[in-house]
Amino acid sequence: MYISRLSLRNFRNFNSASLGFTKGVNTIIGENGAGKSNLFHALRIMIDDSMPRSIRFYENDFNRSIGDWAGHWIVIQIIFDDLDNGEEAQSIAMHKMADAENFDSSRGTYSLFFRPRIDIRRSLFEFSEKEAKTQEELSEILSQISLNDYETVYTGRGNIDFSIDDNYSSYIGDFESMTFPDPDEERVDIYGIKIYGISIPNEFACTFAKALRDVEADLRSFKDNPLINLLRDKEKNIPIEKKSELENQIEELNKSISALDEVKSVSSGISQTMRDTVGETYAPNVNIKSELPANMERLLQSLKLWVGDPDEEDYDGRLGELSLGGANLIYISLKLLEFERIKKNEKIANFILIEEPEAHIHNHIQKTLFQKLDKESTQVFISTHSTHISSVSAISSINILARGKKKAEVFNPSNNLEPNEVIKLERYLDANRTNLLFAKGVILVEGDAEHILIPVLIKKVLGVSLDELGISIINIGSTGFENVAQLFHEERVRRRCSILTDNDISIVPLPKDEKDDDQYQRDCRNSEISGKNRKQDLDSFCENNDYVKAFYAKHTFEVDFLLEYNSHEIKETVKKAYKQKKSIESIGSLIVNDNVAISGKEILRLAKKFGKGWFSIMISENINHLTYIPQYILEALIFACPDIKKSILIYIAKYRISKLINVNIDNLNYSEIFANFNAFDDGTEALNYYKKELPNDVLSEILVLKNA
């Protein structure tokens, strides 16, 4: 038995979300604030018997995107697969087609509804039956509802996923059209059957290891300390005579400590001082007594972990001497051991929830820990923002959480992909590439040159890094764009993906008859044909997919970079690479030639001579705020990051002007422009002023492309 799906409606930052899970280890990845902890809390409400059953929700537990929470429901639903024939499992077995006598005994649903009580639901239904009704009247009814008018109900055997908008509107209520169902005709095949007499979480073995910030503090706690829980479980196995013997020894030791002359002298000194201060009548009697715990449970609570470094076998010390990562490993290990203890009991399902295990843990240990968690007959859920853990996670068992406007978005990167396509993706996505799963936007390139130089271009010209913009640039090498870009789709990861590649249009004139080509022309012609075919294939691949778009250099990345008025950067690179003045001048004259057949040929020769990747590193040292970003790269940037915050655009504007103040170009008074720009209180007005004063600037191009 395992959880195959979790659906959430109106719970915290989840407006309507549905996550699919597999047997074994499941990974939930996402940036900070994406909802990983909220998702775990929802799971624990349903399956963790350490959570209270009388769950109460509050106003801030409702998703903010719905506006006024009054009248809305919070719904948490779990679908289980591979149910056995036990009574507890069958209490949640799902009905088939509303036929109570013919149900699917291998699949079950378990739901929580936090909903208005039936009298409130009746009043909403009666209101919706009125012929003449207004939103004002509905608002008046809703304004009278408080949380005291709500109830928490658990059901099994429901058939409807309430994360689907149409289902929510039909069976809970449509607040726009003001229609609400009749609660007295509540259908058990829709909502499920109320569960009485059986506590479903009690039938599970569930262990939760929370994200750790202070391991020592957690291990000092009596309430949540997994070490204490393990020792407490063992206490009942200690023979009574052994307990009595130890407790008697502690009592004798306490008496011996209290009877020490040094202890008595301090005690009498305190008593005498008290009498001298307040007199015999009011002075309390004072004694110093040893209070080593004589109770066996208290004795066990006094036990502490001592640990040693694996490289120092003969030494161990207190937990505080261990690194934070080592302490986290100790805690996780204790929680897993605690799980093995409760798992031994006869439970119908076993679950482990581990929140962000990567904290302070070395990369290799993160991967090893993840791979070791695949336990027999146990379903594991791990939340993480570690690319090292995500790199060893199966794509089919990953759910991605992303921050949306007032609500989380959920992506399943393997949804509707063929198994062989999933296998290829899993082989490709190592730790350096899985950051594309965390990004707000992605740019795919096929060479080292673009991968090295584009991030430098963005940072030096705009003053912000791709990381600040939430964009990952991924070098796919020879993998093929389509193999990776298929991740970005309405059914999978709903994030923008720009593909950057070359059109490879020949830089030299080609004869009409290919038989007249020399060797260089033949190579150029073949590249042009390949470029044309590649463009046709990519354009066809991107068609009807709003999340992927290809952008093309007219010739090649190096040639197009040069043609965008960047000969200065290339000449500066040549000066550092060559020592002979004659070579520098000769190359420089070729680079600035207006004929692309000459300048393009020379830049490609240099790239080949030094190697494209190394040549890009050399050029990157000469990039500055005056360097031009090729138009197709700008367009790819805007497509991948369509929602650049206004605050970032204003930051770029200030960066650009402050850099231009010290450069005497265009005979503009940049100091005055800077002062005027900063005088605006409204960001939109400031940016419009920037476009007006600097219409040819790169930021103005970006604003035009964004229609901002």
Side-chain angles (χ1 to χ4, degrees), residues 300-364:
L300 293 176
Q301 290 174 0
S302 70
L303 296 177
K304 306 295 181 187
L305 276 173
W306 282 58
V307 295
D309 193 288
D311 296 325
E312 296 182 56
E313 294 183 2
D314 298 329
Y315 174 79
D316 58 9
R318 292 187 179 277
L319 187 65
E321 298 180 37
L322 200 61
S323 67
L324 290 173
N328 278 8
L329 280 176
I330 291 286
Y331 181 86
I332 291 172
S333 298
L334 288 171
K335 295 299 290 186
L336 293 177
L337 183 58
E338 180 182 74
F339 172 77
E340 291 299 325
R341 171 181 64 84
I342 62 174
K343 180 183 172 183
K344 290 178 181 177
N345 299 329
E346 292 185 0
K347 302 290 186 177
I348 62 175
N350 305 297
F351 305 106
I352 300 175
L353 283 67
I354 303 179
E355 192 174 34
E356 297 180 9
E358 67 268 16
H360 311 296
I361 296 178
H362 185 269
N363 300 344
H364 293 147

Side-chain angles (χ1 to χ4, degrees), residues 3 5-19 21 37-48 51-53 55-57 61-62 73-80 108-115 151-158 160-163 168 172 190-192 195:
I3 296 172
R5 184 157 297 278
L6 169 69
S7 293
L8 301 168
R9 188 81 197 201
N10 297 335
F11 178 66
R12 296 189 176 177
N13 68 323
F14 294 97
N15 172 265
S16 56
S18 184
L19 297 91
F21 300 119
S37 294
N38 289 339
L39 186 148
F40 267 30
H41 188 68
L43 269 176
R44 292 186 65 213
I45 287 173
M46 304 299 283
I47 65 174
D48 189 347
M51 297 287 285
R53 288 300 89 205
I55 292 289
R56 287 291 298 171
F57 294 94
D61 285 317
F62 287 86
W73 297 22
I74 289 175
V75 184
I76 304 174
Q77 296 175 286
I78 287 179
I79 294 180
F80 295 97
T109 61
Y110 177 45
S111 305
L112 176 151
F113 299 106
F114 184 65
R115 65 186 185 184
E151 64 180 359
T152 302
V153 176
Y154 293 90
T155 71
R157 299 186 175 184
I160 294 298
D161 183 351
F162 287 99
S163 70
Y168 187 84
I172 289 178
I190 300 297
Y191 305 94
I195 295 177

Side-chain angles (χ1 to χ4, degrees), residues 497-566:
C497 173
S498 294
I499 296 174
L500 282 181
T501 188
D502 301 331
N503 243 347
D504 282 322
I505 293 176
S506 177
I507 59 174
V508 298
L510 298 177
K512 290 184 178 180
D513 191 341
E514 62 182 51
K515 293 179 181 179
D516 297 330
D517 289 348
D518 60 25
Q519 184 59 51
Y520 193 84
Q521 290 170 330
R522 188 176 300 113
D523 292 341
C524 287
R525 189 184 296 275
N526 290 336
S527 294
E528 186 170 287
I529 292 171
S530 296
K532 183 178 180 180
N533 292 334
R534 179 169 56 251
K535 187 176 188 306
Q536 287 177 345
D537 291 342
L538 281 176
D539 287 347
S540 176
F541 171 78
C542 297
E543 192 175 4
N544 301 321
N545 185 349
D546 294 335
Y547 295 94
V548 182
K549 188 173 182 180
F551 299 86
Y552 305 92
K554 180 178 180 181
H555 302 289
T556 69
F557 172 64
E558 293 83 5
V559 174
D560 282 48
F561 176 79
L562 172 64
L563 295 180
E564 286 280 355
Y565 311 103
N566 289 325

